[in-house]
């Protein structure tokens, strides 16, 4: 199947929307180049990776997807890690992508890790950004998934995000990165691109699907990226993740841990240039072999 259902040739230098019914996504680059698929976290959208797409540079086909139920992507009939992974590979098949590198942020990192376990031969390299791999150890999620009132708490969070986003016009975002301006933008994703019921189902699926890193094949290169000041997924869990990954048999010497000292939960917003440079270096490593 063609990677582009439309017959129009893509412009590699321009971010463009995917033309897949039921799937929201943006892409940049030449579809004949090595592929990287990006997954956003809870309450996010494909837009969280837009700046990274432009900063990465040429030589790769990069796709950022709306997770099921978010903005342009149809919700799942059933929620769980198996269903999310199945949706991811079905989407890759529809794009004509057989083998690809995979990058997931927060909740998307949980899904990416499961995908690498379920179909390791299809994943070239795995990038886990502030990933909620140990999803059952995150106290911040308990109120959101509580039986009965969980969806109500999520809706309150959406309303609060909408109020925060409404004042973002007073603080236009700069391309140099930072904390508060990008946070105000992301509040817009929560409010405009997500619904409380779907967010509750997404989070419940993640919390019920903790991951065991030792199950990943040692030959798979894995990059763990984290913000030192993350209050959602504490950096201690990133260091545990790295320790567990390092214990795999035959672990790849291209696996790495990068901690950004001034970043919180979204390091690609705090230091966009540095993040793009580090991801590029990891993806390019070993290609000459």
């Amino acid at each position: 199947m063609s990677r582009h259902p439309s017959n129009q040739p893509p412009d590699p230098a321009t971010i463009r929307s995917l033309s897949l019914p039921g799937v929201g996504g943006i892409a940049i680059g030449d579809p004949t180049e090595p592929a990287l698929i990006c997954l956003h976290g809870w309450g996010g959208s494909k837009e969280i990776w837009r700046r990274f797409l432009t900063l990465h540079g040429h030589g790769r086909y990069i796709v950022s997807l709306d997770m099921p139920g978010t903005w342009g992507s149809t919700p799942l009939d059933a929620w769980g890690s198996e269903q999310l992974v199945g949706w991811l590979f079905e989407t890759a098949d529809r794009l004509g992508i057989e083998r690809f590198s995979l990058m997931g942020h927060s909740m998307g990192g949980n899904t990416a890790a499961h995908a690498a376990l379920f179909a390791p031969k299809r994943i070239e390299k795995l990038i886990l950004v502030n990933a909620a791999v140990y999803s059952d150890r995150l106290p911040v999620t308990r109120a959101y998934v509580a039986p009965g009132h969980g969806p109500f708490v999520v809706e309150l969070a959406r309303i609060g995000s909408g109020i925060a986003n409404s004042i973002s016009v007073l603080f236009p975002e700069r391309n140099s990165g930072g904390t508060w301006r990008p946070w105000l933008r992301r509040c817009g994703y929560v409010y405009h691109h997500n619904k409380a019921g779907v967010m509750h189902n997404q989070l419940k699926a993640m919390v019920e699907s903790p991951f065991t890193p030792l199950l990943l094949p040692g030959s798979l290169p894995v990059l763990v990226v984290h913000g030192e000041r993350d209050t959602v997924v504490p950096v201690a869990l990133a260091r545990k993740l790295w320790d567990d990954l390092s214990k795999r048999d035959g672990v790849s010497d291209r696996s790495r841990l990068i901690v950004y000292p001034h970043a919180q939960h979204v390091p690609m917003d705090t230091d966009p240039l540095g993040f793009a440079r580090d991801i590029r270096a990891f993806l390019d490593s070993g290609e000459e072999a």
Side-chain angles (χ1 to χ4, degrees), residues 218-222 242 248 250-256 282 285-286:
S219 58
L220 175 67
V222 182
W242 176 247
R248 295 174 297 162
V251 63
S252 169
D253 58 5
R254 295 198 296 276
S255 293
R256 293 188 59 197
F282 173 71
S285 64

Side-chain angles (χ1 to χ4, degrees), residues 5 17 36 56 76 85 104 114 157 169 206 209 232 240 244 253 276:
S17 296
L36 169 66
H56 180 274
L76 298 173
V85 168
H114 279 93
V169 294
M206 181 191 72
S209 303
V232 179
K240 173 175 173 47
D244 287 346
D253 58 5

Side-chain angles (χ1 to χ4, degrees), residues 6-29:
S6 69
N7 293 322
Q8 298 298 320
D11 181 354
T14 302
I15 292 180
R16 53 201 180 271
S17 296
L18 297 181
S19 55
L20 290 180
V23 176
I26 54 176
I28 194 170

Side-chain angles (χ1 to χ4, degrees), residues 42-43 144 154-168 183-192 199:
W42 187 67
Y144 295 132
V154 174
E155 183 59 36
L156 288 179
R158 285 188 66 252
I159 294 172
S161 295
I163 294 172
N165 179 247
S166 67
I167 67 172
S168 64
W183 177 78
L184 289 170
R185 168 175 52 82
R186 295 194 304 273
C187 284
Y189 303 159
V190 176
Y191 185 71
H192 295 293
M199 290 178 69

Side-chain angles (χ1 to χ4, degrees), residues 121-166:
K121 292 183 179 180
R122 294 194 65 174
I123 306 300
E124 293 182 356
K125 295 182 181 181
L126 178 65
I127 305 171
L128 302 174
V129 184
N130 289 62
V133 172
Y134 305 107
S135 53
D136 55 340
R137 306 187 188 191
L138 304 178
V140 72
T141 64
R142 290 174 184 168
Y144 295 132
V145 298
H149 66 269
F152 175 71
V153 176
V154 174
E155 183 59 36
L156 288 179
R158 285 188 66 252
I159 294 172
S161 295
I163 294 172
N165 179 247
S166 67

Side-chain angles (χ1 to χ4, degrees), residues 1-284:
M1 180 181 294
S2 171
R3 289 177 178 172
H4 293 273
S6 69
N7 293 322
Q8 298 298 320
D11 181 354
T14 302
I15 292 180
R16 53 201 180 271
S17 296
L18 297 181
S19 55
L20 290 180
V23 176
I26 54 176
I28 194 170
D30 187 337
T32 64
E33 298 285 355
L36 169 66
I37 295 179
C38 306
L39 304 178
H40 64 79
W42 187 67
S45 80
K46 61 181 176 291
E47 294 298 314
I48 201 169
W49 297 110
R50 179 176 287 271
R51 181 161 50 188
F52 168 75
L53 264 62
T54 61
L55 291 175
H56 180 274
H58 300 293
R60 203 169 302 276
Y61 178 52
I62 310 178
V63 178
S64 175
L65 299 173
D66 283 328
M67 294 286 276
T70 297
W71 203 1
S73 291
T74 303
L76 298 173
D77 294 329
W79 294 88
S81 60
E82 184 175 350
Q83 288 80 8
L84 286 166
V85 168
W87 169 86
L88 169 64
F89 285 120
E90 179 185 352
T91 301
D93 290 342
R94 293 174 66 189
L95 289 168
I97 302 174
E98 172 60 29
R99 186 166 163 81
F100 53 94
S101 293
L102 182 60
M103 178 161 64
H105 170 245
S106 195
M107 177 188 74
N110 183 289
T111 300
H114 279 93
L117 175 62
F118 291 164
K121 292 183 179 180
R122 294 194 65 174
I123 306 300
E124 293 182 356
K125 295 182 181 181
L126 178 65
I127 305 171
L128 302 174
V129 184
N130 289 62
V133 172
Y134 305 107
S135 53
D136 55 340
R137 306 187 188 191
L138 304 178
V140 72
T141 64
R142 290 174 184 168
Y144 295 132
V145 298
H149 66 269
F152 175 71
V153 176
V154 174
E155 183 59 36
L156 288 179
R158 285 188 66 252
I159 294 172
S161 295
I163 294 172
N165 179 247
S166 67
I167 67 172
S168 64
V169 294
L170 302 176
F171 305 95
E173 188 178 346
R174 298 170 181 168
N175 289 329
S176 57
T179 300
W180 295 109
R181 288 180 174 86
W183 177 78
L184 289 170
R185 168 175 52 82
R186 295 194 304 273
C187 284
Y189 303 159
V190 176
Y191 185 71
H192 295 293
H193 302 165
N194 292 271
K195 296 181 179 179
V198 170
M199 290 178 69
H200 180 262
N201 288 333
Q202 289 174 336
L203 195 61
K204 190 170 182 291
M206 181 191 72
V207 172
E208 293 176 349
S209 303
F211 188 75
T212 303
L214 281 170
L215 297 176
L216 287 174
S219 58
L220 175 67
V222 182
L223 174 63
V224 178
V225 180
H226 217 87
E228 182 78 45
R229 300 180 181 180
D230 190 353
T231 57
V232 179
V233 182
V235 69
L237 292 181
R239 299 191 189 282
K240 173 175 173 47
L241 172 59
W242 176 247
D243 288 342
D244 287 346
L245 289 170
S246 300
K247 296 174 184 176
R248 295 174 297 162
D249 292 335
V251 63
S252 169
D253 58 5
R254 295 198 296 276
S255 293
R256 293 188 59 197
L257 167 67
I258 299 177
V259 176
Y260 294 89
H262 303 295
Q264 298 183 8
H265 190 55
V266 191
M268 58 275 205
D269 276 347
T270 306
D271 184 6
L273 289 173
F275 180 88
R277 179 193 62 232
D278 292 336
I279 299 303
R280 175 97 195 202
F282 173 71
L283 290 174
D284 289 347

